[in-house]
Structures are given as C-alpha cells and as structure tokens.
mmCIF file of all heavy atoms in Angstrom:
data_model
loop_
_atom_site.group_PDB
_atom_site.id
_atom_site.type_symbol
_atom_site.label_atom_id
_atom_site.label_comp_id
_atom_site.label_asym_id
_atom_site.label_seq_id
_atom_site.Cartn_x
_atom_site.Cartn_y
_atom_site.Cartn_z
ATOM 1 N N MET A 1 5.058 -0.561 9.717
ATOM 2 C CA MET A 1 3.859 -1.226 9.266
ATOM 3 C C MET A 1 3.239 -0.420 8.137
ATOM 4 O O MET A 1 3.338 0.805 8.108
ATOM 5 C CB MET A 1 2.859 -1.364 10.403
ATOM 6 C CG MET A 1 3.303 -2.303 11.500
ATOM 7 S SD MET A 1 2.023 -2.577 12.718
ATOM 8 C CE MET A 1 1.015 -3.697 11.822
ATOM 9 N N TYR A 2 2.589 -1.127 7.239
ATOM 10 C CA TYR A 2 1.977 -0.513 6.077
ATOM 11 C C TYR A 2 0.528 -0.971 5.973
ATOM 12 O O TYR A 2 0.224 -2.137 6.193
ATOM 13 C CB TYR A 2 2.725 -0.908 4.808
ATOM 14 C CG TYR A 2 4.152 -0.431 4.811
ATOM 15 C CD1 TYR A 2 5.163 -1.210 5.356
ATOM 16 C CD2 TYR A 2 4.486 0.800 4.281
ATOM 17 C CE1 TYR A 2 6.474 -0.775 5.378
ATOM 18 C CE2 TYR A 2 5.797 1.246 4.297
ATOM 19 C CZ TYR A 2 6.782 0.458 4.841
ATOM 20 O OH TYR A 2 8.073 0.899 4.862
ATOM 21 N N ALA A 3 -0.355 -0.037 5.655
ATOM 22 C CA ALA A 3 -1.768 -0.353 5.473
ATOM 23 C C ALA A 3 -2.165 -0.003 4.046
ATOM 24 O O ALA A 3 -1.692 0.981 3.474
ATOM 25 C CB ALA A 3 -2.625 0.428 6.450
ATOM 26 N N ILE A 4 -3.046 -0.811 3.471
ATOM 27 C CA ILE A 4 -3.555 -0.582 2.120
ATOM 28 C C ILE A 4 -5.056 -0.316 2.234
ATOM 29 O O ILE A 4 -5.792 -1.106 2.822
ATOM 30 C CB ILE A 4 -3.315 -1.797 1.213
ATOM 31 C CG1 ILE A 4 -1.835 -2.127 1.140
ATOM 32 C CG2 ILE A 4 -3.887 -1.540 -0.175
ATOM 33 C CD1 ILE A 4 -1.552 -3.435 0.436
ATOM 34 N N TYR A 5 -5.481 0.806 1.641
ATOM 35 C CA TYR A 5 -6.887 1.183 1.646
ATOM 36 C C TYR A 5 -7.419 1.205 0.225
ATOM 37 O O TYR A 5 -6.779 1.728 -0.675
ATOM 38 C CB TYR A 5 -7.070 2.574 2.272
ATOM 39 C CG TYR A 5 -6.688 2.618 3.735
ATOM 40 C CD1 TYR A 5 -5.431 3.055 4.125
ATOM 41 C CD2 TYR A 5 -7.580 2.218 4.712
ATOM 42 C CE1 TYR A 5 -5.067 3.090 5.454
ATOM 43 C CE2 TYR A 5 -7.227 2.247 6.060
ATOM 44 C CZ TYR A 5 -5.977 2.687 6.415
ATOM 45 O OH TYR A 5 -5.625 2.719 7.742
ATOM 46 N N ASP A 6 -8.611 0.647 0.047
ATOM 47 C CA ASP A 6 -9.281 0.650 -1.257
ATOM 48 C C ASP A 6 -10.182 1.878 -1.313
ATOM 49 O O ASP A 6 -11.216 1.933 -0.645
ATOM 50 C CB ASP A 6 -10.096 -0.628 -1.429
ATOM 51 C CG ASP A 6 -10.679 -0.778 -2.821
ATOM 52 O OD1 ASP A 6 -10.673 0.214 -3.578
ATOM 53 O OD2 ASP A 6 -11.133 -1.881 -3.140
ATOM 54 N N LEU A 7 -9.790 2.870 -2.091
ATOM 55 C CA LEU A 7 -10.525 4.125 -2.150
ATOM 56 C C LEU A 7 -11.835 4.015 -2.922
ATOM 57 O O LEU A 7 -12.715 4.845 -2.765
ATOM 58 C CB LEU A 7 -9.642 5.216 -2.768
ATOM 59 C CG LEU A 7 -8.352 5.499 -2.002
ATOM 60 C CD1 LEU A 7 -7.546 6.578 -2.711
ATOM 61 C CD2 LEU A 7 -8.623 5.895 -0.565
ATOM 62 N N LYS A 8 -11.988 2.985 -3.725
ATOM 63 C CA LYS A 8 -13.242 2.795 -4.476
ATOM 64 C C LYS A 8 -14.294 2.083 -3.632
ATOM 65 O O LYS A 8 -15.463 2.052 -3.997
ATOM 66 C CB LYS A 8 -12.983 2.008 -5.759
ATOM 67 C CG LYS A 8 -11.996 2.669 -6.668
ATOM 68 C CD LYS A 8 -12.607 3.090 -7.943
ATOM 69 C CE LYS A 8 -11.520 3.803 -8.736
ATOM 70 N NZ LYS A 8 -11.872 4.045 -10.070
ATOM 71 N N GLU A 9 -13.901 1.506 -2.524
ATOM 72 C CA GLU A 9 -14.819 0.783 -1.634
ATOM 73 C C GLU A 9 -14.892 1.478 -0.273
ATOM 74 O O GLU A 9 -14.717 0.855 0.780
ATOM 75 C CB GLU A 9 -14.375 -0.672 -1.462
ATOM 76 C CG GLU A 9 -14.443 -1.503 -2.714
ATOM 77 C CD GLU A 9 -15.863 -1.749 -3.186
ATOM 78 O OE1 GLU A 9 -16.787 -1.795 -2.351
ATOM 79 O OE2 GLU A 9 -16.045 -1.864 -4.413
ATOM 80 N N ASN A 10 -15.114 2.791 -0.301
ATOM 81 C CA ASN A 10 -15.281 3.586 0.918
ATOM 82 C C ASN A 10 -14.088 3.509 1.863
ATOM 83 O O ASN A 10 -14.238 3.456 3.077
ATOM 84 C CB ASN A 10 -16.560 3.187 1.659
ATOM 85 C CG ASN A 10 -17.791 3.475 0.840
ATOM 86 O OD1 ASN A 10 -17.854 4.494 0.177
ATOM 87 N ND2 ASN A 10 -18.752 2.576 0.865
ATOM 88 N N GLU A 11 -12.898 3.482 1.297
ATOM 89 C CA GLU A 11 -11.635 3.480 2.046
ATOM 90 C C GLU A 11 -11.521 2.318 3.035
ATOM 91 O O GLU A 11 -10.986 2.453 4.129
ATOM 92 C CB GLU A 11 -11.432 4.816 2.760
ATOM 93 C CG GLU A 11 -11.265 5.965 1.808
ATOM 94 C CD GLU A 11 -10.900 7.258 2.489
ATOM 95 O OE1 GLU A 11 -10.309 7.222 3.571
ATOM 96 O OE2 GLU A 11 -11.206 8.310 1.918
ATOM 97 N N ILE A 12 -12.003 1.171 2.632
ATOM 98 C CA ILE A 12 -11.898 -0.020 3.474
ATOM 99 C C ILE A 12 -10.445 -0.502 3.483
ATOM 100 O O ILE A 12 -9.752 -0.452 2.478
ATOM 101 C CB ILE A 12 -12.845 -1.131 2.976
ATOM 102 C CG1 ILE A 12 -12.902 -2.268 3.975
ATOM 103 C CG2 ILE A 12 -12.434 -1.636 1.626
ATOM 104 C CD1 ILE A 12 -14.016 -3.252 3.702
ATOM 105 N N CYS A 13 -9.981 -0.928 4.622
ATOM 106 C CA CYS A 13 -8.617 -1.444 4.751
ATOM 107 C C CYS A 13 -8.596 -2.870 4.216
ATOM 108 O O CYS A 13 -9.321 -3.736 4.693
ATOM 109 C CB CYS A 13 -8.177 -1.419 6.207
ATOM 110 S SG CYS A 13 -6.480 -1.974 6.457
ATOM 111 N N VAL A 14 -7.759 -3.101 3.207
ATOM 112 C CA VAL A 14 -7.703 -4.426 2.593
ATOM 113 C C VAL A 14 -6.484 -5.220 3.031
ATOM 114 O O VAL A 14 -6.385 -6.403 2.721
ATOM 115 C CB VAL A 14 -7.741 -4.348 1.057
ATOM 116 C CG1 VAL A 14 -9.074 -3.809 0.585
ATOM 117 C CG2 VAL A 14 -6.608 -3.514 0.516
ATOM 118 N N GLY A 15 -5.564 -4.570 3.746
ATOM 119 C CA GLY A 15 -4.392 -5.301 4.210
ATOM 120 C C GLY A 15 -3.489 -4.472 5.088
ATOM 121 O O GLY A 15 -3.370 -3.265 4.912
ATOM 122 N N ILE A 16 -2.882 -5.144 6.052
ATOM 123 C CA ILE A 16 -1.879 -4.528 6.920
ATOM 124 C C ILE A 16 -0.661 -5.438 6.883
ATOM 125 O O ILE A 16 -0.777 -6.642 7.095
ATOM 126 C CB ILE A 16 -2.395 -4.362 8.357
ATOM 127 C CG1 ILE A 16 -3.591 -3.406 8.363
ATOM 128 C CG2 ILE A 16 -1.289 -3.851 9.266
ATOM 129 C CD1 ILE A 16 -4.229 -3.226 9.723
ATOM 130 N N PHE A 17 0.495 -4.842 6.593
ATOM 131 C CA PHE A 17 1.728 -5.598 6.437
ATOM 132 C C PHE A 17 2.808 -5.018 7.343
ATOM 133 O O PHE A 17 2.879 -3.805 7.526
ATOM 134 C CB PHE A 17 2.199 -5.558 4.980
ATOM 135 C CG PHE A 17 1.216 -6.145 4.022
ATOM 136 C CD1 PHE A 17 0.217 -5.372 3.453
ATOM 137 C CD2 PHE A 17 1.268 -7.486 3.691
ATOM 138 C CE1 PHE A 17 -0.701 -5.909 2.581
ATOM 139 C CE2 PHE A 17 0.358 -8.043 2.807
ATOM 140 C CZ PHE A 17 -0.627 -7.248 2.250
ATOM 141 N N GLU A 18 3.642 -5.880 7.877
ATOM 142 C CA GLU A 18 4.710 -5.444 8.764
ATOM 143 C C GLU A 18 5.861 -4.822 7.981
ATOM 144 O O GLU A 18 6.510 -3.902 8.460
ATOM 145 C CB GLU A 18 5.207 -6.620 9.593
ATOM 146 C CG GLU A 18 6.149 -6.204 10.692
ATOM 147 C CD GLU A 18 6.438 -7.332 11.667
ATOM 148 O OE1 GLU A 18 5.619 -8.240 11.812
ATOM 149 O OE2 GLU A 18 7.507 -7.267 12.266
ATOM 150 N N HIS A 19 6.106 -5.313 6.764
ATOM 151 C CA HIS A 19 7.228 -4.831 5.956
ATOM 152 C C HIS A 19 6.753 -4.472 4.555
ATOM 153 O O HIS A 19 5.738 -4.997 4.069
ATOM 154 C CB HIS A 19 8.321 -5.900 5.853
ATOM 155 C CG HIS A 19 8.859 -6.319 7.176
ATOM 156 N ND1 HIS A 19 9.683 -5.533 7.938
ATOM 157 C CD2 HIS A 19 8.663 -7.452 7.896
ATOM 158 C CE1 HIS A 19 9.984 -6.159 9.053
ATOM 159 N NE2 HIS A 19 9.363 -7.329 9.061
ATOM 160 N N CYS A 20 7.519 -3.618 3.911
ATOM 161 C CA CYS A 20 7.207 -3.202 2.545
ATOM 162 C C CYS A 20 7.257 -4.394 1.586
ATOM 163 O O CYS A 20 6.534 -4.420 0.592
ATOM 164 C CB CYS A 20 8.174 -2.113 2.106
ATOM 165 S SG CYS A 20 7.796 -1.432 0.492
ATOM 166 N N LYS A 21 8.061 -5.367 1.894
ATOM 167 C CA LYS A 21 8.171 -6.550 1.038
ATOM 168 C C LYS A 21 6.822 -7.245 0.890
ATOM 169 O O LYS A 21 6.460 -7.707 -0.194
ATOM 170 C CB LYS A 21 9.205 -7.515 1.612
ATOM 171 C CG LYS A 21 9.429 -8.737 0.762
ATOM 172 C CD LYS A 21 10.479 -9.637 1.352
ATOM 173 C CE LYS A 21 10.684 -10.856 0.469
ATOM 174 N NZ LYS A 21 11.666 -11.776 1.016
ATOM 175 N N GLY A 22 6.055 -7.307 1.960
ATOM 176 C CA GLY A 22 4.730 -7.920 1.909
ATOM 177 C C GLY A 22 3.771 -7.150 1.016
ATOM 178 O O GLY A 22 2.981 -7.740 0.282
ATOM 179 N N VAL A 23 3.861 -5.832 1.059
ATOM 180 C CA VAL A 23 3.027 -4.989 0.199
ATOM 181 C C VAL A 23 3.410 -5.219 -1.264
ATOM 182 O O VAL A 23 2.551 -5.355 -2.129
ATOM 183 C CB VAL A 23 3.171 -3.499 0.579
ATOM 184 C CG1 VAL A 23 2.333 -2.634 -0.347
ATOM 185 C CG2 VAL A 23 2.775 -3.262 2.023
ATOM 186 N N ALA A 24 4.706 -5.269 -1.530
ATOM 187 C CA ALA A 24 5.192 -5.493 -2.896
ATOM 188 C C ALA A 24 4.726 -6.848 -3.418
ATOM 189 O O ALA A 24 4.315 -6.967 -4.577
ATOM 190 C CB ALA A 24 6.710 -5.393 -2.941
ATOM 191 N N GLU A 25 4.757 -7.864 -2.591
ATOM 192 C CA GLU A 25 4.288 -9.187 -3.002
ATOM 193 C C GLU A 25 2.783 -9.182 -3.249
ATOM 194 O O GLU A 25 2.298 -9.843 -4.164
ATOM 195 C CB GLU A 25 4.658 -10.224 -1.946
ATOM 196 C CG GLU A 25 6.140 -10.511 -1.894
ATOM 197 C CD GLU A 25 6.539 -11.421 -0.739
ATOM 198 O OE1 GLU A 25 5.669 -11.803 0.084
ATOM 199 O OE2 GLU A 25 7.737 -11.736 -0.651
ATOM 200 N N TYR A 26 2.037 -8.439 -2.458
ATOM 201 C CA TYR A 26 0.584 -8.340 -2.625
ATOM 202 C C TYR A 26 0.237 -7.770 -3.999
ATOM 203 O O TYR A 26 -0.681 -8.246 -4.669
ATOM 204 C CB TYR A 26 -0.006 -7.467 -1.513
ATOM 205 C CG TYR A 26 -1.492 -7.268 -1.588
ATOM 206 C CD1 TYR A 26 -2.373 -8.237 -1.099
ATOM 207 C CD2 TYR A 26 -2.039 -6.112 -2.133
ATOM 208 C CE1 TYR A 26 -3.740 -8.049 -1.162
ATOM 209 C CE2 TYR A 26 -3.403 -5.920 -2.206
ATOM 210 C CZ TYR A 26 -4.245 -6.898 -1.715
ATOM 211 O OH TYR A 26 -5.606 -6.712 -1.780
ATOM 212 N N PHE A 27 0.990 -6.738 -4.418
ATOM 213 C CA PHE A 27 0.749 -6.106 -5.705
ATOM 214 C C PHE A 27 1.592 -6.702 -6.834
ATOM 215 O O PHE A 27 1.504 -6.238 -7.972
ATOM 216 C CB PHE A 27 1.023 -4.600 -5.626
ATOM 217 C CG PHE A 27 -0.049 -3.836 -4.892
ATOM 218 C CD1 PHE A 27 0.217 -3.251 -3.664
ATOM 219 C CD2 PHE A 27 -1.314 -3.707 -5.424
ATOM 220 C CE1 PHE A 27 -0.760 -2.547 -2.994
ATOM 221 C CE2 PHE A 27 -2.301 -3.002 -4.758
ATOM 222 C CZ PHE A 27 -2.027 -2.419 -3.535
ATOM 223 N N GLU A 28 2.397 -7.695 -6.529
ATOM 224 C CA GLU A 28 3.281 -8.346 -7.501
ATOM 225 C C GLU A 28 4.150 -7.323 -8.231
ATOM 226 O O GLU A 28 4.180 -7.246 -9.463
ATOM 227 C CB GLU A 28 2.462 -9.170 -8.502
ATOM 228 C CG GLU A 28 1.709 -10.307 -7.850
ATOM 229 C CD GLU A 28 0.873 -11.103 -8.819
ATOM 230 O OE1 GLU A 28 0.765 -10.726 -10.003
ATOM 231 O OE2 GLU A 28 0.316 -12.123 -8.386
ATOM 232 N N THR A 29 4.857 -6.511 -7.441
ATOM 233 C CA THR A 29 5.739 -5.479 -7.963
ATOM 234 C C THR A 29 6.972 -5.379 -7.075
ATOM 235 O O THR A 29 7.143 -6.177 -6.158
ATOM 236 C CB THR A 29 4.996 -4.129 -8.063
ATOM 237 O OG1 THR A 29 5.813 -3.204 -8.761
ATOM 238 C CG2 THR A 29 4.638 -3.578 -6.706
ATOM 239 N N SER A 30 7.819 -4.394 -7.334
ATOM 240 C CA SER A 30 9.041 -4.233 -6.551
ATOM 241 C C SER A 30 8.804 -3.328 -5.336
ATOM 242 O O SER A 30 7.853 -2.537 -5.311
ATOM 243 C CB SER A 30 10.147 -3.625 -7.410
ATOM 244 O OG SER A 30 9.829 -2.288 -7.730
ATOM 245 N N GLN A 31 9.693 -3.446 -4.373
ATOM 246 C CA GLN A 31 9.613 -2.591 -3.198
ATOM 247 C C GLN A 31 9.845 -1.137 -3.573
ATOM 248 O O GLN A 31 9.224 -0.238 -2.987
ATOM 249 C CB GLN A 31 10.645 -3.030 -2.157
ATOM 250 C CG GLN A 31 10.329 -4.362 -1.519
ATOM 251 C CD GLN A 31 11.334 -4.748 -0.456
ATOM 252 O OE1 GLN A 31 11.741 -3.919 0.344
ATOM 253 N NE2 GLN A 31 11.749 -5.998 -0.455
ATOM 254 N N ASN A 32 10.713 -0.894 -4.557
ATOM 255 C CA ASN A 32 10.968 0.478 -4.995
ATOM 256 C C ASN A 32 9.704 1.138 -5.531
ATOM 257 O O ASN A 32 9.475 2.330 -5.301
ATOM 258 C CB ASN A 32 12.070 0.516 -6.050
ATOM 259 C CG ASN A 32 13.429 0.224 -5.469
ATOM 260 O OD1 ASN A 32 13.657 0.411 -4.278
ATOM 261 N ND2 ASN A 32 14.341 -0.242 -6.300
ATOM 262 N N ALA A 33 8.895 0.398 -6.248
ATOM 263 C CA ALA A 33 7.639 0.946 -6.763
ATOM 264 C C ALA A 33 6.701 1.326 -5.623
ATOM 265 O O ALA A 33 6.034 2.359 -5.672
ATOM 266 C CB ALA A 33 6.970 -0.059 -7.690
ATOM 267 N N ILE A 34 6.677 0.499 -4.585
ATOM 268 C CA ILE A 34 5.826 0.785 -3.425
ATOM 269 C C ILE A 34 6.334 2.018 -2.691
ATOM 270 O O ILE A 34 5.554 2.902 -2.324
ATOM 271 C CB ILE A 34 5.760 -0.439 -2.480
ATOM 272 C CG1 ILE A 34 5.171 -1.649 -3.215
ATOM 273 C CG2 ILE A 34 4.969 -0.106 -1.224
ATOM 274 C CD1 ILE A 34 3.788 -1.454 -3.778
ATOM 275 N N TYR A 35 7.643 2.101 -2.477
ATOM 276 C CA TYR A 35 8.222 3.276 -1.824
ATOM 277 C C TYR A 35 7.905 4.549 -2.614
ATOM 278 O O TYR A 35 7.634 5.600 -2.032
ATOM 279 C CB TYR A 35 9.735 3.132 -1.665
ATOM 280 C CG TYR A 35 10.157 2.164 -0.591
ATOM 281 C CD1 TYR A 35 11.119 1.201 -0.835
ATOM 282 C CD2 TYR A 35 9.609 2.217 0.683
ATOM 283 C CE1 TYR A 35 11.522 0.308 0.146
ATOM 284 C CE2 TYR A 35 9.992 1.333 1.677
ATOM 285 C CZ TYR A 35 10.956 0.380 1.402
ATOM 286 O OH TYR A 35 11.342 -0.494 2.382
ATOM 287 N N THR A 36 7.927 4.456 -3.933
ATOM 288 C CA THR A 36 7.612 5.611 -4.777
ATOM 289 C C THR A 36 6.163 6.033 -4.587
ATOM 290 O O THR A 36 5.871 7.229 -4.449
ATOM 291 C CB THR A 36 7.886 5.288 -6.260
ATOM 292 O OG1 THR A 36 9.257 4.950 -6.409
ATOM 293 C CG2 THR A 36 7.540 6.462 -7.150
ATOM 294 N N ASN A 37 5.240 5.074 -4.553
ATOM 295 C CA ASN A 37 3.828 5.392 -4.324
ATOM 296 C C ASN A 37 3.626 6.080 -2.977
ATOM 297 O O ASN A 37 2.862 7.042 -2.879
ATOM 298 C CB ASN A 37 2.960 4.141 -4.367
ATOM 299 C CG ASN A 37 2.759 3.599 -5.755
ATOM 300 O OD1 ASN A 37 2.974 2.417 -5.990
ATOM 301 N ND2 ASN A 37 2.361 4.443 -6.685
ATOM 302 N N ILE A 38 4.326 5.602 -1.959
ATOM 303 C CA ILE A 38 4.172 6.179 -0.628
ATOM 304 C C ILE A 38 4.744 7.590 -0.585
ATOM 305 O O ILE A 38 4.094 8.522 -0.088
ATOM 306 C CB ILE A 38 4.842 5.281 0.429
ATOM 307 C CG1 ILE A 38 4.099 3.944 0.538
ATOM 308 C CG2 ILE A 38 4.876 5.979 1.788
ATOM 309 C CD1 ILE A 38 4.821 2.888 1.327
ATOM 310 N N SER A 39 5.945 7.774 -1.100
ATOM 311 C CA SER A 39 6.595 9.076 -1.003
ATOM 312 C C SER A 39 5.893 10.138 -1.842
ATOM 313 O O SER A 39 5.833 11.302 -1.445
ATOM 314 C CB SER A 39 8.068 8.980 -1.395
ATOM 315 O OG SER A 39 8.196 8.679 -2.766
ATOM 316 N N ARG A 40 5.362 9.772 -2.983
ATOM 317 C CA ARG A 40 4.665 10.728 -3.840
ATOM 318 C C ARG A 40 3.191 10.879 -3.495
ATOM 319 O O ARG A 40 2.521 11.776 -3.987
ATOM 320 C CB ARG A 40 4.795 10.314 -5.301
ATOM 321 C CG ARG A 40 6.204 10.414 -5.812
ATOM 322 C CD ARG A 40 6.282 10.062 -7.263
ATOM 323 N NE ARG A 40 7.668 10.119 -7.731
ATOM 324 C CZ ARG A 40 8.058 9.728 -8.913
ATOM 325 N NH1 ARG A 40 7.186 9.234 -9.774
ATOM 326 N NH2 ARG A 40 9.323 9.806 -9.251
ATOM 327 N N GLY A 41 2.684 9.960 -2.687
ATOM 328 C CA GLY A 41 1.273 10.011 -2.314
ATOM 329 C C GLY A 41 0.340 9.601 -3.439
ATOM 330 O O GLY A 41 -0.829 9.979 -3.451
ATOM 331 N N THR A 42 0.863 8.813 -4.384
ATOM 332 C CA THR A 42 0.038 8.375 -5.503
ATOM 333 C C THR A 42 -0.686 7.076 -5.175
ATOM 334 O O THR A 42 -0.286 6.329 -4.290
ATOM 335 C CB THR A 42 0.894 8.167 -6.767
ATOM 336 O OG1 THR A 42 1.927 7.223 -6.484
ATOM 337 C CG2 THR A 42 1.504 9.470 -7.229
ATOM 338 N N LYS A 43 -1.756 6.834 -5.920
ATOM 339 C CA LYS A 43 -2.533 5.615 -5.719
ATOM 340 C C LYS A 43 -1.931 4.489 -6.546
ATOM 341 O O LYS A 43 -1.405 4.702 -7.629
ATOM 342 C CB LYS A 43 -3.980 5.834 -6.141
ATOM 343 C CG LYS A 43 -4.728 6.794 -5.262
ATOM 344 C CD LYS A 43 -6.139 6.947 -5.735
ATOM 345 C CE LYS A 43 -6.236 8.226 -6.513
ATOM 346 N NZ LYS A 43 -7.540 8.491 -7.051
ATOM 347 N N ARG A 44 -2.028 3.298 -6.033
ATOM 348 C CA ARG A 44 -1.565 2.103 -6.741
ATOM 349 C C ARG A 44 -2.741 1.566 -7.540
ATOM 350 O O ARG A 44 -3.848 1.403 -6.987
ATOM 351 C CB ARG A 44 -1.081 1.073 -5.720
ATOM 352 C CG ARG A 44 -0.470 -0.129 -6.339
ATOM 353 C CD ARG A 44 0.971 0.161 -6.660
ATOM 354 N NE ARG A 44 1.462 -0.898 -7.513
ATOM 355 C CZ ARG A 44 2.432 -0.734 -8.359
ATOM 356 N NH1 ARG A 44 3.043 0.410 -8.446
ATOM 357 N NH2 ARG A 44 2.822 -1.711 -9.117
ATOM 358 N N ALA A 45 -2.534 1.301 -8.800
ATOM 359 C CA ALA A 45 -3.564 0.759 -9.697
ATOM 360 C C ALA A 45 -4.785 1.678 -9.752
ATOM 361 O O ALA A 45 -5.889 1.225 -10.019
ATOM 362 C CB ALA A 45 -3.966 -0.649 -9.271
ATOM 363 N N GLY A 46 -4.596 2.957 -9.494
ATOM 364 C CA GLY A 46 -5.670 3.929 -9.589
ATOM 365 C C GLY A 46 -6.708 3.875 -8.498
ATOM 366 O O GLY A 46 -7.677 4.620 -8.523
ATOM 367 N N ARG A 47 -6.518 3.015 -7.507
ATOM 368 C CA ARG A 47 -7.541 2.919 -6.465
ATOM 369 C C ARG A 47 -7.033 2.606 -5.065
ATOM 370 O O ARG A 47 -7.759 2.797 -4.097
ATOM 371 C CB ARG A 47 -8.585 1.891 -6.856
ATOM 372 C CG ARG A 47 -8.108 0.460 -6.808
ATOM 373 C CD ARG A 47 -9.130 -0.525 -7.284
ATOM 374 N NE ARG A 47 -10.195 -0.750 -6.337
ATOM 375 C CZ ARG A 47 -11.250 -1.520 -6.561
ATOM 376 N NH1 ARG A 47 -11.382 -2.117 -7.712
ATOM 377 N NH2 ARG A 47 -12.171 -1.686 -5.668
ATOM 378 N N TYR A 48 -5.805 2.128 -4.906
ATOM 379 C CA TYR A 48 -5.310 1.728 -3.596
ATOM 380 C C TYR A 48 -4.347 2.772 -3.028
ATOM 381 O O TYR A 48 -3.406 3.182 -3.691
ATOM 382 C CB TYR A 48 -4.580 0.389 -3.671
ATOM 383 C CG TYR A 48 -5.491 -0.735 -4.088
ATOM 384 C CD1 TYR A 48 -5.464 -1.217 -5.382
ATOM 385 C CD2 TYR A 48 -6.381 -1.301 -3.192
ATOM 386 C CE1 TYR A 48 -6.293 -2.240 -5.782
ATOM 387 C CE2 TYR A 48 -7.226 -2.325 -3.579
ATOM 388 C CZ TYR A 48 -7.172 -2.786 -4.881
ATOM 389 O OH TYR A 48 -8.009 -3.798 -5.260
ATOM 390 N N LYS A 49 -4.590 3.177 -1.806
ATOM 391 C CA LYS A 49 -3.709 4.110 -1.116
ATOM 392 C C LYS A 49 -2.879 3.304 -0.118
ATOM 393 O O LYS A 49 -3.422 2.534 0.682
ATOM 394 C CB LYS A 49 -4.536 5.163 -0.379
ATOM 395 C CG LYS A 49 -3.707 6.179 0.357
ATOM 396 C CD LYS A 49 -4.597 7.214 1.013
ATOM 397 C CE LYS A 49 -3.779 8.226 1.759
ATOM 398 N NZ LYS A 49 -4.639 9.208 2.434
ATOM 399 N N ILE A 50 -1.563 3.481 -0.173
ATOM 400 C CA ILE A 50 -0.658 2.775 0.723
ATOM 401 C C ILE A 50 -0.145 3.769 1.739
ATOM 402 O O ILE A 50 0.367 4.832 1.373
ATOM 403 C CB ILE A 50 0.508 2.137 -0.056
ATOM 404 C CG1 ILE A 50 -0.030 1.232 -1.148
ATOM 405 C CG2 ILE A 50 1.418 1.376 0.901
ATOM 406 C CD1 ILE A 50 1.011 0.792 -2.143
ATOM 407 N N VAL A 51 -0.268 3.439 3.014
ATOM 408 C CA VAL A 51 0.096 4.345 4.086
ATOM 409 C C VAL A 51 1.121 3.680 4.993
ATOM 410 O O VAL A 51 0.953 2.509 5.376
ATOM 411 C CB VAL A 51 -1.151 4.741 4.918
ATOM 412 C CG1 VAL A 51 -0.786 5.677 6.037
ATOM 413 C CG2 VAL A 51 -2.199 5.359 4.034
ATOM 414 N N ASN A 52 2.163 4.417 5.329
ATOM 415 C CA ASN A 52 3.148 3.947 6.305
ATOM 416 C C ASN A 52 2.608 4.281 7.691
ATOM 417 O O ASN A 52 2.494 5.447 8.053
ATOM 418 C CB ASN A 52 4.498 4.635 6.059
ATOM 419 C CG ASN A 52 5.592 4.093 6.947
ATOM 420 O OD1 ASN A 52 5.364 3.260 7.785
ATOM 421 N ND2 ASN A 52 6.779 4.602 6.757
ATOM 422 N N VAL A 53 2.260 3.279 8.457
ATOM 423 C CA VAL A 53 1.667 3.453 9.780
ATOM 424 C C VAL A 53 2.791 3.406 10.813
ATOM 425 O O VAL A 53 3.476 2.388 10.937
ATOM 426 C CB VAL A 53 0.633 2.348 10.078
ATOM 427 C CG1 VAL A 53 0.010 2.555 11.436
ATOM 428 C CG2 VAL A 53 -0.422 2.308 9.004
ATOM 429 N N LYS A 54 2.971 4.498 11.521
ATOM 430 C CA LYS A 54 4.019 4.544 12.538
ATOM 431 C C LYS A 54 3.426 4.179 13.885
ATOM 432 O O LYS A 54 2.373 4.658 14.265
ATOM 433 C CB LYS A 54 4.623 5.941 12.578
ATOM 434 C CG LYS A 54 5.287 6.285 11.273
ATOM 435 C CD LYS A 54 5.933 7.625 11.313
ATOM 436 C CE LYS A 54 6.540 7.873 9.940
ATOM 437 N NZ LYS A 54 7.149 9.137 9.819
ATOM 438 N N GLU A 55 4.122 3.324 14.590
ATOM 439 C CA GLU A 55 3.632 2.868 15.892
ATOM 440 C C GLU A 55 4.040 3.816 16.968
ATOM 441 O O GLU A 55 5.013 4.459 16.975
ATOM 442 C CB GLU A 55 4.195 1.482 16.189
ATOM 443 C CG GLU A 55 3.652 0.460 15.238
ATOM 444 C CD GLU A 55 4.163 -0.926 15.545
ATOM 445 O OE1 GLU A 55 4.316 -1.256 16.740
ATOM 446 O OE2 GLU A 55 4.411 -1.673 14.615
#
C-alpha cells in the first residue's frame, strides 16, 4: 500500500493506493518515476511525499 501526503497542507493524507500503478495514474506519470521518488525519499512536484506503507 502507498500513501500520499501533502507537505504544504500540514502533511494531510491525500490518497491511499493498494498498488504503485494507482499512484502513477494519480500523478499521470510512470511507475518507475514513483519508485524513484520512494527510494530516494524525494518529494513529487515539490510538495507530495509518497510512502510505502507496510501492513
């Protein structure tokens, strides 16, 4: 599962997705780009933090 947090809005959770594909569709980008953001710990679009939530 993946969670997206908006760091400019007090870290509010803007989405929870079961698969990386859903996150990629949300940002209209590729899954590889999302995996890169997660592994490097970088923000997406300068404000969104993507976290891999382990159950």
Side-chain angles (χ1 to χ4, degrees):
M1 293 187 77
Y2 298 89
I4 302 171
Y5 295 97
D6 187 347
L7 300 179
K8 301 245 177 169
E9 294 292 330
N10 296 321
E11 295 187 26
I12 189 168
C13 182
V14 294
I16 297 177
F17 300 88
E18 190 169 334
H19 301 287
C20 185
K21 183 179 180 182
V23 178
E25 289 173 357
Y26 179 82
F27 286 112
E28 297 179 354
T29 189
S30 68
Q31 291 182 43
N32 289 336
I34 300 301
Y35 286 132
T36 300
N37 286 129
I38 293 168
S39 67
R40 293 183 182 173
T42 57
K43 293 180 259 179
R44 185 83 192 153
R47 71 184 285 176
Y48 296 102
K49 180 178 180 182
I50 305 168
V51 180
N52 186 357
V53 181
K54 297 182 181 178
E55 294 182 37

